[in-house]
C-alpha cells in the first residue's frame, strides 16, 4: 500500500514547516495570548476580590452609619429635651420676673396715687380753710358793720366763755 | 408566534458550500470514470486513491475533458548533479502523456529516473503546497488573535473571541488536567499541534484540497514530535516506572520492562495511525458513497448517495475536531506521564 509508506520529501517539509510554525506561533502568538489570558484572569479575580472586599466594607460602613445615626438621634433627643426644659425654665423665670415687676409697679402706682391723693386732700383742705376764712371774714365784716352786731357777738362769746 | 432566530445568509452560505462540495465530487468522479472507460471498478478505486494520495500537481476540477490544474515545482536532489527544478506541467505533453524531462519521468504520480540515478524527491507536491498554505493561514489567523491581547486587559472581540474558548479549553481541560503544574512549558506545542491538525483536517474537507492530515508522513512527523518531547522531558520517576517498576514483585519486573519499552514506541505509532486512518477513512467513505451512483449506473442511487455523502461530510467536520482533540489529549497525557514527579 502506497498510502502506508511515508513520503520522504513530505516528511522533511513537514518537519521544517512544523518547526517553523512552532517557533513563529510560540513566539508571536501563543506567548502574548497565554500571558494576556493569564493577566486578564488575574485582573478579573482581583477585581472580584476587591468587589467582595468593598461590599464587606460597605456593610461595615453601613452598620457604623446606623450606629452613628442612632447615637445622633439619641443625642438630638437629649438636646431637645434639655432645650425644652431650659426654655420652660426661662419662661417660668420670665413669668415670675414679670409678675414681680408688675406687683412692684402696682405697688409703686398705689403709693404714688396715695401720695397724690394726700397732696390733693391737703390742697383741698387748705383751699377749704382759705375759703372758709374768706367767707368768715366776709360774714364777720358784714355782721360787725354796726354796733349791735359787734355787741351781740361779744355777748355770745362771753356767754360761751362763761359756760366754760 | 415568534420564529426562532434563523440566520438566513449563513444557512445560504453553508448550503452553497455543501452544494459546491457535492458537485466537485460528482464532476471529478464523472471525469475519472469516463476516462477509464470499461474497467470501471478499477477506475473507481483508482479515483479514490488518486484523491487521497499526494500528487505533483494540484488538480482542482475537471470540466468535460479539461483538467483545471495548478502546476507545482518538482524539485529533485540528484546525488550526482545536485538540485534540479522543473514545473510539473513540463512532465506532460498536450495530450496528458508523460514525457521525460532532464532524465526524469512522472508516471502515475511517481517520479523515477530514466537512467536509474539515485535521487531524492523534494518536490513541492500538492501536500507540501497545502502544508505551506495551512502554515500561512495559521500564522495569519493566530497573529490576528494575538493582536487582541497586546492592548492590555480588555474584553475579547472578533476572531479573538472565537479562538479564545478553544485555547482556554486546551489549557484548562487538556494541558492542566493531564500535565499538572508543569503545563505551561508545553502549551505552545499543544496549541500548535491542535490547531495544525484541526486546520488541516478542515482544509482537507474543502473541495479540491489536499489530504494532508490523512497522510502518514505528516501524522508520523507529529507523533515523532510528541515522542521526542515526551522522552526528552522524561523525569526520574518516568524512567524508573519503565525500567524498574516500583511496587511490582521482582520476578514480574523484567516482563513489565519489556512491555513498557515496547510501550514507548507503540504510543507514537498509535498516534500516527489513528489520525491517518480516521481522516483517510472519512475521505474514502465520502468518495465511495458518491461513487456508488456511477458504479451502479443509477440516477436515484447517485442523488441519494450525494445527499448521504453530504451528511457524511458534516460528520467529517465533527471527526476533524475530535481527531485534533484526541491527538492533543494523548500527547499531553504522554507528556504528563513523563514529567510526573512520582507523587501518586
Amino acid at each position: 500500500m502506497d498510502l502506508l509508506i511515508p513520503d520522504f520529501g513530505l516528511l522533511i517539509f513537514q518537519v521544517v514547516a512544523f518547526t517553523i510554525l512552532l517557533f513563529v506561533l510560540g513566539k508571536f502568538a501563543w506567548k502574548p495570548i497565554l500571558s494576556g489570558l493569564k493577566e486578564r484572569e488575574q485582573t478579573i479575580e482581583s477585581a472580584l476580590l476587591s468587589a467582595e472586599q468593598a461590599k464587606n466594607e460597605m456593610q461595615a460602613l453601613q452598620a457604623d452609619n446606623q450606629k452613628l445615626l442612632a447615637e445622633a438621634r439619641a443625642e438630638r433627643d437629649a438636646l431637645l429635651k434639655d432645650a425644652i426644659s431650659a426654655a420652660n425654665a426661662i419662661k417660668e423665670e420670665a413669668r415670675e420676673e414679670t409678675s414681680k415687676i408688675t406687683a412692684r409697679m402696682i405697688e409703686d402706682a398705689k403709693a404714688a396715687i396715695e401720695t397724690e391723693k394726700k397732696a390733693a386732700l391737703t390742697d383741698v383742705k387748705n383751699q377749704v380753710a382759705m375759703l372758709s376764712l374768706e367767707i368768715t371774714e366776709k360774714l364777720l365784716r358784714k355782721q360787725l358793720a354796726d354796733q349791735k352786731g359787734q355787741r351781740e357777738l361779744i355777748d355770745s362769746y362771753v356767754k360761751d366763755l362763761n359756760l366754760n | 408566534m415568534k420564529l426562532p432566530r434563523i440566520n438566513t445568509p449563513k444557512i445560504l452560505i453553508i448550503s452553497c458550500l455543501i452544494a459546491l462540495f457535492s458537485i466537485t465530487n460528482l464532476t471529478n468522479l464523472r471525469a475519472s470514470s469516463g476516462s477509464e472507460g470499461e474497467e470501471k471498478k478499477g477506475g473507481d478505486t483508482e479515483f479514490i486513491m488518486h484523491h487521497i494520495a499526494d500528487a505533483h500537481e494540484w488538480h482542482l476540477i475537471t470540466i468535460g475533458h479539461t483538467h483545471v490544474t495548478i502546476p507545482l515545482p518538482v524539485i529533485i536532489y540528484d546525488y550526482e548533479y545536485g538540485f534540479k527544478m522543473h514545473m510539473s506541467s513540463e512532465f506532460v505533453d498536450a495530450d496528458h502523456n508523460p514525457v521525460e524531462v532532464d532524465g526524469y519521468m512522472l508516471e502515475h504520480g511517481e517520479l523515477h529516473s530514466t537512467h536509474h540515478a539515485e535521487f531524492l524527491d523534494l518536490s513541492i507536491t500538492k501536500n507540501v503546497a497545502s502544508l505551506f498554505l495551512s502554515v500561512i493561514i495559521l500564522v495569519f489567523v493566530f497573529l490576528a488573535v494575538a493582536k487582541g491581547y497586546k492592548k492590555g486587559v480588555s474584553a475579547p472581540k472578533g476572531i479573538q473571541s472565537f479562538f479564545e474558548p478553544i485555547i482556554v479549553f486546551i489549557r484548562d481541560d487538556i494541558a492542566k488536567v493531564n500535565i499538572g503544574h508543569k503545563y505551561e512549558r508545553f502549551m505552545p506545542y499543544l496549541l500548535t499541534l491542535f490547531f495544525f491538525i484541526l486546520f488541516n483536517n478542515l482544509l482537507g474537507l474543502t473541495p479540491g484540497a489536499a489530504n494532508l492530515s490523512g497522510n502518514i508522513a505528516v501524522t508520523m512527523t507529529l507523533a515523532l514530535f510528541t515522542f521526542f518531547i515526551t522522552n526528552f522531558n522524561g523525569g526520574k520517576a518516568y524512567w524508573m516506572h519503565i525500567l524498574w517498576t516500583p511496587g511490582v514483585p521482582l520476578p514480574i519486573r523484567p516482563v513489565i520492562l519489556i512491555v513498557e519499552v515496547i510501550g514507548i514506541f507503540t504510543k507514537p505509532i498509535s498516534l500516527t495511525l489513528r489520525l491517518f486512518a480516521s481522516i483517510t477513512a472519512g475521505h474514502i467513505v465520502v468518495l465511495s458513497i458518491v461513487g456508488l451512483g456511477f458504479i451502479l449506473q443509477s440516477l436515484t442511487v447517485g442523488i441519494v448517495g450525494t445527499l448521504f455523502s453530504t451528511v457524511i461530510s458534516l460528520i467529517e467536520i465533527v471527526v476533524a475536531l475530535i481527531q485534533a482533540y484526541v491527538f492533543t489529549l494523548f500527547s499531553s497525557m504522554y507528556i504528563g506521564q513523563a514529567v510526573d514527579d512520582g507523587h501518586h
Side-chain angles (χ1 to χ4, degrees):
Chain A
M1 279 286 280
D2 276 355
L3 278 179
L4 282 172
I5 300 160
D7 180 59
F8 185 71
L10 181 58
L11 196 94
I12 298 229
F13 278 115
Q14 170 68 20
V15 170
V16 172
F18 194 75
T19 312
I20 292 170
L21 187 71
L22 206 58
F23 177 76
V24 171
L25 286 187
K27 196 167 163 70
F28 300 108
W30 306 133
K31 209 171 151 191
I33 289 173
L34 290 171
S35 63
L37 268 175
K38 209 173 182 181
E39 197 187 335
R40 193 197 307 147
E41 276 160 7
Q42 278 166 354
T43 312
I44 290 170
E45 207 165 314
S46 65
L48 284 175
L49 260 174
S50 60
E52 186 69 25
Q53 230 164 24
K55 207 172 115 191
N56 288 342
E57 269 169 30
M58 261 304 266
Q59 264 166 357
L61 218 72
Q62 238 162 16
D64 268 15
N65 276 353
Q66 218 79 45
K67 222 167 78 186
L68 272 173
L69 214 70
E71 269 171 27
R73 207 169 280 150
E75 206 172 324
R76 187 199 61 184
D77 285 351
L79 274 174
L80 222 69
K81 227 163 91 187
D82 280 7
I84 288 170
S85 60
N88 281 344
I90 288 167
K91 238 193 268 175
E92 202 63 37
E93 212 173 297
R95 196 181 292 146
E96 267 168 36
E97 193 79 11
T98 328
S99 55
K100 246 188 243 167
I101 289 168
T102 346
R104 213 167 50 217
M105 272 165 81
I106 291 168
E107 245 164 69
D108 284 1
K110 271 182 185 164
I113 290 166
E114 200 66 30
T115 336
E116 288 292 307
K117 207 169 91 187
K118 271 180 187 162
L121 272 177
T122 322
D123 204 24
V124 170
K125 269 181 192 166
N126 288 344
Q127 297 246 352
V128 169
M130 288 271 283
L131 280 173
S132 20
L133 267 176
E134 269 173 43
I135 294 165
T136 317
E137 201 188 316
K138 272 175 191 169
L139 275 175
L140 279 175
R141 217 168 269 207
K142 213 175 167 187
Q143 262 185 355
L144 299 177
D146 48 18
Q147 286 278 318
K148 202 188 150 195
Q150 283 173 7
R151 179 87 37 170
E152 270 175 33
L153 187 62
I154 294 164
D155 285 346
S156 72
Y157 281 153
V158 172
K159 228 178 164 177
D160 277 355
L161 280 170
N162 286 346
L163 267 167
N164 282 334
Chain B
M1 209 183 97
K2 243 175 116 181
L3 277 166
R5 273 194 296 163
I6 293 171
N7 199 331
T8 325
K10 267 188 192 162
I11 289 176
L12 208 69
I13 291 167
I14 291 167
S15 317
C16 285
L17 281 175
I18 290 168
L20 185 70
F21 184 77
S22 316
I23 289 166
T24 336
N25 280 348
L26 275 175
T27 46
N28 283 344
L29 191 70
R30 187 177 295 130
S32 45
S33 58
S35 60
E36 298 302 325
E38 269 84 68
E39 17 164 22
K40 256 207 177 79
K41 269 182 190 152
D44 287 327
T45 340
E46 203 171 288
F47 142 76
I48 290 171
M49 285 310 156
H50 169 75
H51 262 256
I52 288 161
D54 204 354
H56 281 83
E57 76 285 323
W58 199 323
H59 176 226
L60 287 174
I61 193 169
T62 302
I63 303 159
H65 283 284
T66 328
H67 295 284
V68 181
T69 314
I70 301 171
L72 296 168
V74 175
I75 301 165
I76 301 157
Y77 179 71
D78 195 310
Y79 287 114
E80 211 172 317
Y81 300 105
F83 281 105
K84 287 176 179 179
M85 199 181 115
H86 299 280
M87 291 310 282
S88 66
S89 50
E90 293 170 35
F91 287 85
V92 285
D93 61 14
D95 302 316
H96 299 290
N97 292 315
V99 287
E100 189 188 319
V101 178
D102 217 352
Y104 289 93
M105 289 272 278
L106 195 55
E107 275 179 310
H108 306 293
E110 288 278 336
L111 192 71
H112 57 86
S113 172
T114 46
H115 49 272
H116 305 287
E118 290 281 310
F119 71 97
L120 273 179
D121 182 3
L122 294 174
S123 306
I124 308 297
T125 58
K126 188 180 174 184
N127 273 340
V128 176
S130 182
L131 167 70
F132 291 163
L133 181 71
S134 71
V135 167
I136 290 166
I137 293 173
L138 278 161
V139 168
F140 184 75
V141 166
F142 287 102
L143 287 190
V145 173
K147 214 189 255 173
Y149 294 93
K150 285 175 181 162
K151 292 174 290 198
V153 177
S154 62
K157 54 179 173 291
I159 195 168
Q160 192 191 355
S161 20
F162 179 77
F163 283 105
E164 189 179 297
I166 307 173
I167 293 168
V168 171
F169 173 76
I170 293 166
R171 189 193 60 183
D172 293 350
D173 292 294
I174 298 180
K176 265 188 200 171
V177 172
N178 293 302
I179 301 176
H181 64 280
K182 290 177 186 166
Y183 78 97
E184 268 179 19
R185 256 177 71 204
F186 304 101
M187 276 310 289
Y189 173 65
L190 293 174
L191 286 167
T192 311
L193 185 68
F194 179 84
F195 286 110
F196 180 83
I197 297 171
L198 179 66
F199 275 48
N200 279 300
N201 284 350
L202 292 174
L203 278 175
L205 290 174
T206 46
N211 174 29
L212 186 70
S213 53
N215 187 295
I216 201 154
V218 173
T219 60
M220 196 174 89
T221 313
L222 297 176
L224 284 175
F225 267 90
T226 296
F227 172 78
F228 285 122
I229 288 174
T230 304
N231 289 298
F232 284 155
N233 285 291
K236 193 174 156 245
Y238 171 70
W239 291 112
M240 268 301 285
H241 192 82
I242 290 170
L243 301 175
W244 212 238
T245 316
V248 172
L250 203 62
I252 307 174
R253 285 191 185 188
V255 183
I256 290 190
L257 171 73
I258 295 164
V259 173
E260 288 284 350
V261 169
I262 293 169
I264 297 175
F265 298 101
T266 52
K267 280 169 186 171
I269 292 170
S270 74
L271 281 178
T272 306
L273 292 180
R274 186 185 300 110
L275 182 60
F276 156 74
S278 32
I279 300 304
T280 302
H283 288 228
I284 291 174
V285 167
V286 171
L287 295 167
S288 305
I289 290 168
V290 174
L292 271 182
F294 294 93
I295 294 165
L296 301 175
Q297 293 201 312
S298 153
L299 186 64
T300 327
V301 175
I303 291 168
V304 173
T306 307
L307 288 174
F308 192 57
S309 79
T310 309
V311 175
I312 298 284
S313 296
L314 293 176
I315 293 169
E316 281 303 295
I317 294 173
V318 181
V319 171
L321 271 162
I322 291 172
Q323 287 306 322
Y325 166 67
V326 166
F327 202 108
T328 317
L329 178 74
F330 276 99
S331 293
S332 59
M333 274 168 64
Y334 299 154
I335 294 169
Q337 283 168 6
V339 299
D340 191 26
D341 292 329
H343 307 301
H344 289 294

